Each structure stands twice: as structure tokens, then as C-alpha cells.
Amino acid sequence: MKQFRAFVIKEFYHILRDYRTLLILLAMPPILILLFGYTITNEIQDAKIAILDYSKDATTSSIKSKLLAGNYFKLEYELNGLDEVEAIFRKGSIREAIVFESNFEENLAKTGIANIRIIADATDPNTASTLLSYTSSIIKSYLDEINENVEMPYSINTEIRMRYNEELRGAYLFVPGLITVILMLVSAMMTSISITREKELGTMESLLVSPMQPLQIIIAKMLPYLFLAIIDAVIILIVGNAVFGVPVRGSVLLLMVEGILFIITALSLGLLISTITSSQQVALMMSLMGLMLPTIILSGFIYPISNMPQIIQWLTHLIPAKWFNLIIKSIMLKGAGLDILWKETLILAGFAVFFISLSLKKFNIRLQK
Amino acid sequence: MANSIEIKNVSKSYGNTVALKDISLSVNSGEIFGLIGPDGAGKTTLIRILATLLLPDKGSAVMTNYDVVKDYKKVRSSVGYMPGKFSLYQDLTIEENMQLYATMFGTTVEENYHLVKDIYSQIEPFKKRRAGKLSGGMKQKLALSCSLIHKPEVLLLDEPTTGVDPVSRKELWEMLKKLKNDGVTVFVSTPYMDEASLCDRIALIQAGEILGIDTPESIVNSFDKTLLSINSSDKYKLLNDIRSYEHCNSAFPFGESLHYTDKRTSFDIPQIYEYLRNCGNTNVEIAVIKPAIEDCFMNLMVGE
């Protein structure tokens, strides 16, 4: 036990004395949050649209003014014919075109059905679908208003409500996602580098010829980074809440426990990398390409998993970050508890046990395999 | 006297490169045993096998009655190992490194201070300095102190004096002598032939093969040829000329002069002198000298 304690203290010295790396590790989370928060966002603001109104009656103009009332849409062009729509999209500045059929008011009054065509630039599909849902919900709310004055109001109330994130705030999506990514980065990359550094500098040679057990070495290596990763998670939660108002609706304690579980999984992945590489550079590249990219792309952090091809969706089951991302989002945004998340938690725990035992088995007690 | 280290028919290859060929040797308890040979001879591989860090392809090695493969854990706690490459934590201070190693082996610096006192006291004034900022000699003294702090029965040292200034080299060897008097078996490798005489027994190693094992004196005495030291104005020409001499057995440049042995058992020095003069060498000087370890090494190499 005394050996173990001395070893943990030594690891803390390594981290604290390499103050540049420490600074990066502590400054990175808030910087990333601010960058993501202010640049990568799905929120709609002043989206430029074009309107082609064949009818030009009272109803269409009130729908138009309703659309343009908020700061979501900005009317850029009034068009005169359908042929102009294509040309204006080609120019690239218009995200959406709205076409009112002729005799719009008359059709609505007589048959109760009037047609609006909404054309969106789907080169950016996420923005396009958001724009479409904004537009249709504004039109629906107009319909609701006029239905009130009709004698027999029949409203087809297909309200689209963005649950848990009513305003479709990007921050709600990326703060939990960012915690996932940063925990992965700090834990996996730093441990893999820290062990390969011992190999590269030759200190592993002295370490092996000592009574220290592999398990002791491994856990002692993990502890300081576990500590550091928890600090990072707390920083992100605080900044996310203070700057972007992202709440933690569920239990903070549960969030921390799940976080620690995920950190242990990531740490053991880092260990696994360090057991199969012998230079810090290779370890760095492997953690970046082998862990970071899948974490960012396949965890559902940026790209919705439901939009992926079926095969890739199956593949995401193998990404521990995907499960943690599900857990952390549910706890933070839905206030879910362990009664709902026990399955995901078990899967994550399974990953942790699997990777730790694998890296223990692969840990070289000699300088060769 | 019991054998501290017993190596039997050990072979080791890295892919197609043969590092050790059928090595057998034994080291007595309480002696300083020198493994002497040039870079790439296989010294580090052999020491790493003894330190349980590498597995031999063939053969076996026993350290203090424990097999280095089967009982590697027991070997590890009874052996002090100082790798050739400085392998302490550069970002920890002298004191922190010492305490870490002491704790790792389940002891304290205070408990075994007497073992390392002679050498550690020299670097102790700088104990707050980080190991990475030490000079070569100080680094080796620290590494030696760390490998000694748990009172090992056998000390394995891989080129402890490489990259160390002459004064520190001398101090390190004096330290090894003291350890020997304390009953520690010392197995040390070095590329410096002049350090051979400081060992009780030596093994000359070249290209993974042992050329000879004996006390330094016996190895020198076994040199059965007349050794000549030859000098002239143009050393390069001299070397080429003497090597093309029909009776030349070996000729190697040694510092200022050339060391030469002849194929014949008896020969006339004037005859060689004449030959060299005829080749156009000026200021030729020839003297009979006593062989040193290095000459024996070269001689054994040629014999191979």
C-alpha cells in the first residue's frame, strides 16, 4: 500500500511539473465550449428566404408578416415566377423559398385546403430540416388563430414540439457531447502517453525490475488522470450552465458516478493503446485516430445516430462514448434516473471491465512479448 | 563458494540478428565480474536476460538460486539493476527518486543509508535538483544509489561508466570495490578494456560469443605471442604496409602506435625494420611491449 501511495504521488508530480500540458488540459474544456457554443450551432437566426406569392391577398400577406415577425427569417427576394427559384438557390444566399398558390385565400375559404410549397436548400440537411419545421410551425400557429373564428373549428393539430430542447438550443446538444469527448481525450490520450513515456525514457526498465505489480502500476497511473478528468467535467458543467444555461435536471451524484465509470472505460482504452505501442507519438496518433474520431463522429455528439446507415448504427454500439452520451444527455436534459438508465450503465460497466482485464493481460512484464 | 549467477547455453536472436550464441558462464558469490566487449557485442542483451527483462531463446540462467524465467518475481526483488540508459525520473529530484525507489522495494532511504552513503553523500548536497539537470557522472551515481537502496544480493550494471568523466569513473569503481567487501556480487559490463583489471574475473565478449573467461592476469598471461609496438612518421602508410607483410598475424592502431604480432614463433625484429624501410617508411621505431587486455581481446578476435 505504501508502494502504491508513493507511486501515485510520483504520477501527480509528473502531471504538476509538466505545467504546459496541465494548462492545456485545464484550459481546453472552457475554450472548446465557447468555440462550439458560438460557432457550431444549429440555431436559426436571420435565415434568408425568398417568397413567391401568386395570390397576393390578405391571408398570404398576414402569413408572410407572421413568418418575418420573429428574427428567424429575413425576406431577401420577392419572386415573380417558379423559374426564378432555381436561379436564386444557385446563387447560394437563400436557404428557403416559400411559394403560395394562386387564389390562396379563396381556396382556403371554399375548400378549407390551401397549398404552400416550401423549398429548402438541403445541401446542409440539418439546417434545412430545422428551417422546415420552423416554417411549418409558424404556418400552423396562423391556422390555429383563424380557426378560432370559424364556426366549426376543425384543427388538424399536428403540433411539432421539440421536446427537452424547445428552442432547439445547440448548447443542450453539445455540452453533454463535449463532456464525453473531453473525458475521452484527457483519459485515453493522457494515460496512453504517460505509459509510453516511461517506455521511451527507459524508466519502464527500472520499474519492471521492481516488486511493483502490474495492477498497482496501472491503477496508480489511472488515478491522477481520473482526478483530472473529473475536474474537467465539472468545469464544463459550470461553464455550460453559466454561459449557455444548460441545466442538470437529474441527479448530479448519478452524473458523477456515470462520469467516473466512463472515465475508467476511457482510461483502460488508453492503457490498452500503451501496451501495444512503444513511442509517445504512435500512442498519440492511435488515440486520436482510433478513439477521438469515432468518439466525435459515432457517439451521436454531432451527427444523429438515427440518420446513419444501418450498418454504421450497429457499429456505434461498440463505441463506449455512444452509451455515455445517451446517459449524460438523459440525466442532464431529461432528468432520468438509474431506473431508466440501468441498461446503458451496465453496458458501460461491461466495457470498463473488459478493457481493464484486456490491458492487464496485455501488460508486458518484460521488455519483449 | 556458491555461484551467484549461473548461465547455461543461453542464445538469443532478434529476428535474423543473433545477439548471443550459446553463452555459458558462472559468477561466484561476492566477486566483481566484468563483461567486456565492444558496442553491439551482446552485453546489454545478456544483462537484460539476467534482469528478467528478456527471455532467452535457448538455455537457462539462474540468479541467486532463482530461475530468471520461472521465478522472475523473486529475482526482481533480490537483484539491483542499473540499465545502460539513464532510467530514473528526470522530472523528479534526486531525493524524490531515491525515496521512490526505496519505497517501491519496501524499504526506506534511512534504513539502508549506510549502503549508499559513500556515493550518495557526494550528490546529496544537490538533492533538491531534478535528475534531468544532473551531469553524466552525477546521474550514474544517483542511478547506482537507487539500484542499491534495497540491499540487493546481486548488482547488475550495464555500462555504468559510459559517458562519465574520468574522476567519477574512478569513484564508481571504488564504490563497486566497497560493495564487494560488503558481500554484494557485482556483474558489470563495460566497453572500456582498461577497466578490466579492476574486476576479479572477466569475460571477453564479441559478436555474441564469449572469447575467454578468466582473471585479468591470466588472460594477459595467456597471450602467447611477442607483441611489438611500431611507430613511424606516416601511420596510415605504416598500417597498410605492415598488414601486407607476409608474416603479419595482426596489426591494430593503438593510440600513437601500432600493435603487431607475427605468425612465426621466432623472428628477427631487424628483418621487419628492414621491410618497413624498404617500403618507404621513415623514422621507424620498434619496441617489444607487454600485452594489455585489449591486445588479448584483439588476439582472441583474430584467432576466431
Side-chain angles (χ1 to χ4, degrees), chain A residues 294 298 305 308-320 322-323 351:
Chain A
L298 298 178
I305 292 175
M308 294 173 188
Q310 193 58 49
I311 295 176
I312 309 264
Q313 287 198 32
W314 286 326
L315 204 65
T316 62
H317 292 327
L318 299 175
I319 311 286
K322 172 217 160 143
W323 301 103
F351 272 119

Side-chain angles (χ1 to χ4, degrees), chain A residues 30-186:
Chain A
I31 291 175
L32 276 183
I33 291 197
L34 296 178
L35 275 178
F36 272 90
Y38 288 116
T39 55
I40 304 177
T41 169
N42 288 333
E43 286 169 47
I44 305 298
Q45 210 176 12
D46 291 335
K48 290 175 183 164
I49 60 166
I51 290 179
L52 170 56
D53 189 355
Y54 284 118
S55 187
K56 293 206 171 73
D57 51 41
T59 312
T60 60
S61 63
S62 48
I63 292 178
K64 268 191 279 182
S65 63
K66 226 174 146 38
L67 276 171
L68 300 173
N71 55 2
Y72 299 132
F73 300 108
K74 200 172 151 213
L75 182 61
E76 197 78 0
Y77 296 102
E78 284 261 25
L79 307 177
N80 296 315
L82 258 179
D83 50 326
E84 287 175 41
V85 172
E86 182 69 24
I88 220 133
F89 270 118
R90 286 253 170 91
K91 276 194 194 168
S93 62
I94 296 299
R95 313 304 304 259
E96 189 185 68
I98 299 169
V99 183
F100 295 94
E101 65 172 348
S102 48
N103 304 325
F104 189 88
E105 196 176 39
E106 210 182 313
N107 289 346
L108 192 67
K110 275 186 189 160
T111 64
I113 299 165
N115 294 312
I116 298 176
R117 183 186 293 175
I118 305 166
I119 308 158
D121 178 359
T123 47
D124 180 353
N126 285 341
T127 315
S129 69
T130 317
L131 278 173
L132 286 183
S133 61
Y134 273 40
T135 313
S136 48
S137 67
I138 290 174
I139 294 168
K140 285 258 161 54
S141 75
Y142 174 77
L143 264 177
D144 292 344
E145 275 175 37
I146 58 166
N147 275 344
E148 280 176 24
N149 306 326
V150 175
E151 285 168 11
M152 285 196 338
Y154 59 97
S155 64
I156 317 155
N157 216 347
T158 52
E159 180 197 351
I160 302 172
R161 189 169 159 229
M162 298 298 173
R163 294 210 59 191
Y164 312 118
N165 186 4
E166 282 84 358
E167 296 143 88
L168 285 178
R169 280 215 226 140
Y172 280 33
L173 179 73
F174 77 77
V175 167
L178 211 55
I179 293 183
T180 313
V181 170
I182 286 177
L183 291 188
M184 194 63 162
L185 185 81
V186 172

Side-chain angles (χ1 to χ4, degrees), chain B residues 138-156:
Chain B
M138 278 162 80
K139 275 183 182 170
Q140 294 305 77
K141 283 174 194 166
L142 175 60
L144 185 60
S145 306
C146 285
S147 58
L148 275 173
I149 194 68
H150 63 285
K151 205 177 176 186
E153 289 171 52
V154 179
L155 192 58
L156 298 173

